[in-house]
């Protein structure tokens, strides 16, 4: 079933829409959750919550890109779980890598996250496709460097060095725009 | 104000949740020219086996943790699994979707047969159709889930098998007492972990069993169930 049909069913409040959504996107939801959360129980719980969130939000939401919409909800759910329920983050080294760029200890106003997301999008869209995909797989989906490298068709060593250069570039990009001065 | 220092959440990591949809979509699209139609196999496995001289009897250990303490070890054996070519996939009538390879006509047993493996099954289970059968992303711990109807309990079993020929897949993630875990001993002396959690979606307890048998790793999940029901299912599989 295509995304428009699924959204139409959700708009009509038909539970078939939820089951079609689950059939089509459950694996993707699990990929996002498992990239961030360590515990399979947390993943299972969050997966159910993501489906319920989509059910609750459509309508009124009418996403143009259902896959991206579902990914974002899954990611936010997993971060909430990580933040509030002391869940274990699957990839601690992932956070450590980003800390080289911008330290975790810095407090950010809630409303500033939207602006930071826009800047990240702008920066990502300025990259070549391979670099953008590599960065997104690693820091949005929480994929391992090894898997991200495979997905991008490059070696793990090349992926590691590319990611390091990208983090350095991002640090400069954000610092130039007044974010997180040392 | 979000206090990032409390739980060590990096601001960039958090803000990545709001990046443009096109960037996310671009990243989830598979590189179709490198799709490998295998169950959890990677080239590294073969290389590793060659380097170490590993044979089909080589067991890899991993642990089930309960409250951060090892409860028992899993026995994951290197297993020969057929690879399936793109041509064969097409002949078979399977569909390559955004999130995996699935078929509206093939049954789970048929799929296992294609890969040349025979996971646990008895005549007390009936196969169900129309599931995503094979992940495109074979390199991470995303277990394939197919469905069987258990005729004793009348319940649908979400049935996942991991056949591991590569390095460890991080099966040590533990569970805690919040999930009322119970470790039971199977007929062959190996252990199984049973646990449950409340699911808002099913409106009841979802019960899971995790164990290895014959060198394969299994996860069975039954919605709206109980430990007794799961034990019945394990008995129907002939392992309890």
């Amino acid at each position: 079933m295509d995304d428009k049909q699924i959204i139409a069913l959700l708009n009509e409040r038909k539970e078939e829409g939820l089951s079609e959504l689950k059939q089509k996107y459950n694996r993707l939801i699990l990929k996002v959750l498992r990239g961030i959360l360590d515990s399979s129980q947390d993943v299972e719980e969050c997966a159910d919550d993501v489906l319920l969130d989509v059910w609750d939000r459509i309508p009124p939401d009418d996403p143009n890109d259902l896959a991206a919409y579902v990914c974002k909800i899954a990611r936010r759910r997993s971060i909430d779980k990580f933040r509030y329920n002391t869940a274990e983050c699957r990839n601690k080294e992932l956070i450590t890598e980003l800390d080289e760029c911008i330290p975790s200890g810095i407090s950010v106003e809630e409303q500033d996250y939207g602006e930071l997301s826009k800047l990240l999008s702008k920066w990502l869209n300025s990259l070549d496709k391979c670099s953008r995909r590599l960065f997104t797989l690693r820091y949005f989906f929480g994929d391992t460097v090894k898997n991200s490298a495979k997905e991008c068709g490059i070696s793990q060593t090349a992926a590691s060095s590319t990611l390091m250069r990208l983090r350095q570039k991002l640090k400069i990009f954000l610092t130039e725009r007044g974010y997180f001065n040392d | 104000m979000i206090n990032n220092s409390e739980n060590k959440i990096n601001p960039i990591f958090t803000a990545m949740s709001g990046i443009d949809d096109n960037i996310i979509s671009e990243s989830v699209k598979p590189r179709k020219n490198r799709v490998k139609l295998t169950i959890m196999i990677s080239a590294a496995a073969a290389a590793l086996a060659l380097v170490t001289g590993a044979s089909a009897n080589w067991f890899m250990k991993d642990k089930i943790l309960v409250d951060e303490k090892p409860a028992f070890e899993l026995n994951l054996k290197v297993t020969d699994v057929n690879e399936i070519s793109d041509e064969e996939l097409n002949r078979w009538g399977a569909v390559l979707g955004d999130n995996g390879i699935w078929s509206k006509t093939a049954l789970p047993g048929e799929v296992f047969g294609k890969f040349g493996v025979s996971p646990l099954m008895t005549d007390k289970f009936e196969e169900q159709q129309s599931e995503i059968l094979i992940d495109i992303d074979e390199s991470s711990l995303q277990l394939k889930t197919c469905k069987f109807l258990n005729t004793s309990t009348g319940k649908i079993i979400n049935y996942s098998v991991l056949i591991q020929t590569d390095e460890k897949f991080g099966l040590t993630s533990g569970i805690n007492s919040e999930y009322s875990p119970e470790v039971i001993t199977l007929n062959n002396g190996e252990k199984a972990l049973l646990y449950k959690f409340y699911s808002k979606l099913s409106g009841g307890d979802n019960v899971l069993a995790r164990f290895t048998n014959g060198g394969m790793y299994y996860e069975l999940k039954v919605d709206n169930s109980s430990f007794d029901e799961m034990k019945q299912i394990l008995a129907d599989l002939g392992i309890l």
Side-chain angles (χ1 to χ4, degrees):
Chain A
M1 185 176 283
D2 69 32
D3 288 353
K4 284 184 180 171
Q5 290 173 300
I6 293 174
I7 291 169
L9 287 170
L10 293 173
N11 276 317
E12 292 166 17
R13 310 312 291 157
K14 290 186 176 168
E15 290 193 12
E16 186 191 350
L18 196 57
S19 57
E20 290 290 342
L21 181 81
K22 185 173 183 179
Q23 175 159 321
K24 187 167 184 183
Y25 286 117
N26 201 47
R27 317 298 289 186
L28 184 60
I29 291 168
L30 293 177
K31 176 182 171 66
V32 175
L33 297 176
R34 284 175 173 152
I36 294 172
L37 298 171
D38 185 50
S39 150
S40 55
Q41 290 72 47
D42 288 335
V43 169
E44 289 279 355
E45 287 180 335
C46 276
D48 282 354
D49 288 339
V50 170
L51 292 169
L52 284 174
D53 278 356
V54 175
W55 174 258
D56 287 341
R57 291 177 189 206
I58 302 176
D61 287 2
D62 185 19
N64 289 323
D65 186 332
L66 188 57
Y69 182 81
V70 167
C71 283
K72 283 181 172 179
I73 288 178
R75 199 171 189 279
R76 287 181 178 133
R77 267 286 173 188
S78 57
I79 287 178
D80 284 348
K81 190 80 173 171
F82 175 41
R83 180 185 288 150
Y84 294 116
N85 293 1
T86 63
E88 283 294 310
C89 182
R90 182 178 181 82
N91 288 314
K92 292 189 181 70
E93 71 273 20
L94 184 153
I95 302 289
T96 307
E97 285 169 18
L98 287 174
D99 282 352
E100 293 168 14
C101 192
I102 305 295
S104 290
I106 285 178
S107 293
V108 175
E109 297 286 350
E110 185 77 73
Q111 63 269 25
D112 287 344
Y113 275 110
E115 187 60 33
L116 187 53
S117 296
K118 281 181 191 168
L119 274 178
L120 284 170
S121 295
K122 185 178 178 184
W123 178 75
L124 284 164
N125 279 318
S126 74
L127 302 176
D128 64 85
K129 187 175 176 180
C130 178
S131 298
R132 180 167 58 246
R133 192 153 188 256
L134 183 65
F135 194 90
T136 307
L137 287 168
R138 178 73 179 134
Y139 300 118
F140 181 93
F141 289 98
D143 253 350
T144 61
V145 175
K146 181 182 172 184
N147 291 344
S148 303
K150 275 178 74 180
E151 283 295 320
C152 293
I154 58 176
S155 71
Q156 190 173 340
T157 309
S160 294
S161 60
T162 302
L163 285 169
M164 187 180 72
R165 283 197 301 275
L166 289 172
R167 291 194 301 271
Q168 289 167 347
K169 278 186 182 177
L170 177 59
K171 182 172 185 177
I172 293 167
F173 178 86
L174 291 174
T175 305
E176 284 174 351
R177 282 153 185 80
Y179 271 82
F180 315 120
N181 287 312
D182 289 332
Chain B
M1 177 79 76
I2 295 171
N3 185 352
N4 289 296
S5 60
E6 193 172 279
N7 283 316
K8 295 192 170 84
I9 299 178
N10 186 282
I12 296 171
F13 185 69
T14 304
M16 282 293 287
S17 296
I19 61 174
D20 289 351
D21 287 357
N22 67 295
I23 300 170
I24 300 166
S25 295
E26 179 184 75
S27 298
V28 297
K29 283 181 185 154
R31 296 173 67 244
K32 294 187 181 180
N33 60 350
R34 59 162 293 278
V35 170
K36 287 177 66 182
L37 307 179
T38 59
I39 299 179
M40 295 290 183
I41 293 180
S42 79
L48 188 62
L50 284 172
V51 168
T52 60
S55 72
N57 294 319
W58 180 37
F59 283 78
M60 284 181 279
K61 303 283 188 183
D62 216 328
K63 291 184 177 66
I64 291 282
L65 304 177
V66 175
D67 285 334
E68 299 181 358
K69 292 174 186 159
F72 60 93
E73 287 192 332
L74 296 163
N75 290 312
L76 294 160
K77 185 171 64 176
V78 173
T79 308
D80 287 331
V81 181
N82 297 337
E83 290 199 22
I84 299 179
S85 66
D86 289 349
E87 292 73 26
E88 190 176 351
L89 179 76
N90 291 333
R91 280 202 302 275
W92 171 31
V95 177
L96 177 61
D98 286 345
N99 306 307
I101 296 161
W102 55 284
S103 169
K104 291 215 171 188
T105 52
L107 291 166
E110 227 179 305
V111 180
F112 292 136
K114 296 275 184 192
F115 287 109
V117 295
S118 303
L120 287 167
M121 192 44 57
T122 68
D123 58 7
K124 290 181 178 168
F125 295 83
E126 292 173 4
E127 299 186 79
Q128 304 282 304
Q129 276 186 326
S130 297
E131 284 302 305
I132 293 174
L133 298 170
I134 304 162
D135 282 322
I136 288 171
D137 180 4
E138 81 284 1
S139 54
S140 60
L141 183 55
Q142 294 185 64
L143 298 181
K144 291 86 189 148
T145 300
C146 50
K147 291 184 190 298
F148 290 86
L149 170 69
N150 175 229
T151 51
S152 296
T153 62
K155 287 290 178 69
I156 298 290
I157 317 303
N158 294 282
Y159 184 99
S160 302
V161 187
L162 170 62
I163 298 153
Q164 179 172 296
T165 65
D166 200 355
E167 75 273 27
K168 287 180 180 179
F169 275 95
L171 293 172
T172 48
S173 63
I175 66 162
N176 56 46
S177 48
E178 179 189 349
Y179 300 97
S180 308
E182 183 180 335
V183 176
I184 60 172
T185 304
L186 303 174
N187 289 344
N188 64 358
E190 288 197 60
K191 307 279 187 186
L193 175 75
L194 308 185
Y195 60 95
K196 61 186 175 184
F197 65 88
Y198 178 75
S199 165
K200 280 184 274 187
L201 200 63
S202 70
D205 281 338
N206 291 354
V207 175
L208 288 96
R210 296 163 67 183
F211 56 93
T212 45
N213 187 278
M216 301 182 198
Y217 173 78
Y218 293 82
E219 275 189 18
L220 307 184
K221 182 181 149 205
V222 184
D223 294 353
N224 277 317
S225 189
S226 64
F227 282 179
D228 283 345
E229 203 165 59
M230 181 59 87
K231 286 173 187 171
Q232 176 65 49
I233 289 161
L234 296 177
D236 286 347
L237 280 172
I239 58 171
L240 185 66

